[in-house]
Amino acid sequence: MFRRAFWFTAGAAAGVWATTKVNRQLKKLTPESLAAQAADKAVEAGHRLKDFALDVRAGMSQREDELNDALGLHQDPHRPDNVTALPGPRRLRAIENDQSNHRPTLSYNRNEDH
């Protein structure tokens, strides 16, 4: 008698466990649940993309600073827009060369050909 009661209880427990598992899986496959899972994955992908973009931006900034140091460029704090400028002597040479090579531009009116 005790053996039958044990197996009956074990079978009932296994049935309840299996039914619970199947119902959980079925709930995961409902359209609402699938939509929620897709939305969660999209949000997760968005966060990963944002983190990637921030890493790229930080790397770009770091590399730009390295290149500015290598080229001798620096930030001039006295400029209102904080534009990167050449150091003093190189900047003056660049301005002089720009003014000496300045040629007047010829205007071209394509309507004059007709």
Side-chain angles (χ1 to χ4, degrees):
M1 174 89 176
F2 180 71
R3 187 180 286 176
R4 286 185 183 175
F6 171 77
W7 287 114
F8 177 77
T9 306
V16 169
W17 177 80
T19 303
T20 304
K21 281 289 217 182
V22 168
N23 284 336
R24 284 184 189 163
Q25 292 299 323
L26 288 176
K27 285 182 182 178
K28 285 183 182 179
L29 297 176
T30 61
E32 295 84 11
S33 178
L34 291 176
Q37 288 176 11
D40 289 343
K41 291 200 186 261
V43 168
E44 183 181 330
H47 288 303
R48 286 183 184 172
L49 186 62
K50 180 181 176 185
D51 290 342
F52 174 72
L54 291 174
D55 289 345
V56 168
R57 184 176 290 165
M60 286 172 40
S61 177
Q62 179 183 357
R63 183 63 179 150
E64 184 177 1
D65 291 342
E66 291 172 0
L67 290 173
N68 285 339
D69 289 342
L71 294 174
L73 301 176
H74 65 314
Q75 294 286 336
D76 188 1
H78 300 293
R79 295 184 121 179
D81 54 358
N82 207 11
V83 174
T84 302
L86 290 170
R90 290 177 63 192
R91 183 174 170 203
L92 291 176
R93 269 186 277 150
I95 292 172
E96 289 170 359
N97 288 340
D98 184 46
Q99 290 175 352
S100 64
N101 292 335
H102 185 65
R103 297 180 189 148
T105 58
L106 300 173
S107 64
Y108 175 72
N109 185 354
R110 66 180 194 190
N111 292 330
E112 292 177 357
D113 289 342
H114 300 293

